[in-house]
Amino acid sequence: MNKRILIVPIARISNTKRIETSIAEDGTFNCIHAIEGIPLQQFENIYFVITKKCIAHYKFDTDLFITQLAAFDVVNCTKSKLVILQNETCSQAETIVSALIQLKIFENMSVLCKDGDSFFHINNESISGNKLMIYNVEDCDIVDPKHKSYVSVDMNNVVTNTIEKTIISKYFNCGGYFFSNVRDFIRAYEELLVKYNESPRMSNIVQYLMLYKNKTFAAIKCDEYKDFNINKQ
């Protein structure tokens, strides 16, 4: 079985304040809270990724963040690192691929890509195979449907489709994508980039792997979902 890593892209330049780089009421960065519901003992390393331009733009306190990561690692017996990209990126997928290239991680590794602006809890089951983390929209008190990727599953929890901003089922991706082979993820990203001349979304990569590479994705139904953007309002 491949070793597993966890990657959290925490910022790129946008027209709105990035909740991932902001600090929660308890003084902890939101993006650190974002991974607290994951069975972290399953991951070899945790990488938080930000661009150099974002650090200046959002006045991101890297010293405080690294201090909080060190304390987090002591409590959770994890190995975390802040990865700083020199060039700006235009999508979550590009941020993750750029980090993987900078870290020289190309194969023999599984990767969980986790949004930094939300929380969910999953049980301590072993995460293996390609997975999408999903949540039932009916369990949300408030949800922003315009910014969700919806997921349809069959009776065996196998993903049959995933589409951005189009409601095709009661489930949406709650901010987690697990790729059992990082090489499949990188190749799919690069092939879609060449084909459409723009950086693909994460759901586009999943669709591509399912339709054209015969990859199967199963769903993990999560609980305790929290969207930090909504909770902040």
Side-chain angles (χ1 to χ4, degrees):
M1 180 183 295
N2 287 340
K3 293 181 179 179
R4 307 180 185 107
I5 58 171
L6 170 58
I7 291 188
V8 186
I10 57 175
R12 61 183 188 277
I13 300 296
S14 70
N15 295 326
T16 58
K17 180 176 176 60
R18 301 299 299 191
I19 197 71
E20 304 98 312
T21 58
S22 63
I23 297 175
E25 291 182 358
D26 66 353
T28 303
F29 282 92
N30 280 302
C31 56
I32 294 178
H33 281 314
I35 66 171
E36 291 175 340
I38 294 171
L40 299 172
Q41 70 278 3
Q42 296 187 30
F43 295 91
E44 186 88 0
N45 294 96
I46 302 169
Y47 300 104
F48 292 84
V49 187
I50 192 170
T51 64
K52 186 176 181 179
K53 189 174 181 180
C54 281
I55 292 174
H57 183 81
Y58 296 112
K59 297 180 174 60
F60 183 69
D61 191 336
T62 55
D63 290 337
L64 176 60
F65 185 75
I66 291 170
T67 298
Q68 290 191 5
L69 275 191
F72 181 85
D73 285 343
V74 170
V75 172
N76 296 280
C77 298
T78 50
K79 292 188 249 184
S80 304
K81 180 180 180 181
L82 177 64
V83 178
I84 299 174
L85 303 178
Q86 295 303 306
N87 298 320
E88 187 60 19
T89 59
C90 61
S91 73
Q92 183 184 46
E94 183 182 1
T95 301
I96 295 167
V97 170
S98 298
L100 291 168
I101 292 172
Q102 182 167 310
L103 293 165
K104 295 182 170 56
I105 298 173
F106 304 111
E107 57 186 349
N108 301 322
M109 194 73 71
S110 299
V111 57
L112 172 58
C113 308
K114 171 70 179 74
D115 290 353
D117 62 355
S118 63
F119 170 95
F120 59 73
H121 174 265
I122 55 180
N123 295 323
N124 287 324
E125 63 181 276
S126 178
I127 304 175
S128 61
N130 296 309
K131 294 286 193 300
L132 294 185
M133 284 59 180
I134 65 173
Y135 193 76
N136 190 335
V137 68
E138 296 173 355
D139 293 332
C140 293
D141 294 328
I142 304 174
V143 67
D144 183 358
K146 296 181 296 183
H147 299 104
K148 300 301 179 189
S149 173
Y150 291 87
V151 181
S152 59
V153 297
D154 65 17
M155 60 185 300
N156 296 313
N157 274 343
V158 174
V159 175
T160 57
N161 200 3
T162 177
I163 300 178
E164 290 283 340
K165 303 178 183 179
T166 300
I167 301 175
I168 57 174
S169 82
K170 63 182 180 180
Y171 297 109
F172 62 89
N173 183 289
C174 55
Y177 303 79
F178 185 78
F179 299 90
S180 62
N181 192 326
V182 70
R183 181 176 54 191
D184 292 338
F185 172 73
I186 294 173
R187 284 182 176 175
Y189 172 85
E190 292 174 341
E191 290 172 12
L192 285 168
L193 181 63
V194 170
K195 184 174 183 179
Y196 295 105
N197 197 32
E198 64 179 11
S199 183
R201 295 176 179 269
M202 297 295 288
S203 60
N204 298 144
I205 294 173
V206 172
Q207 283 180 320
Y208 184 76
L209 289 171
M210 289 170 55
L211 293 174
Y212 298 104
K213 302 299 181 180
N214 296 316
K215 302 296 181 182
T216 299
F217 282 78
I220 294 180
K221 294 179 180 177
C222 305
D223 52 29
E224 300 180 36
Y225 174 74
K226 297 176 185 176
D227 184 334
F228 298 152
N229 296 285
I230 290 177
N231 292 343
K232 191 73 174 177
Q233 295 173 2

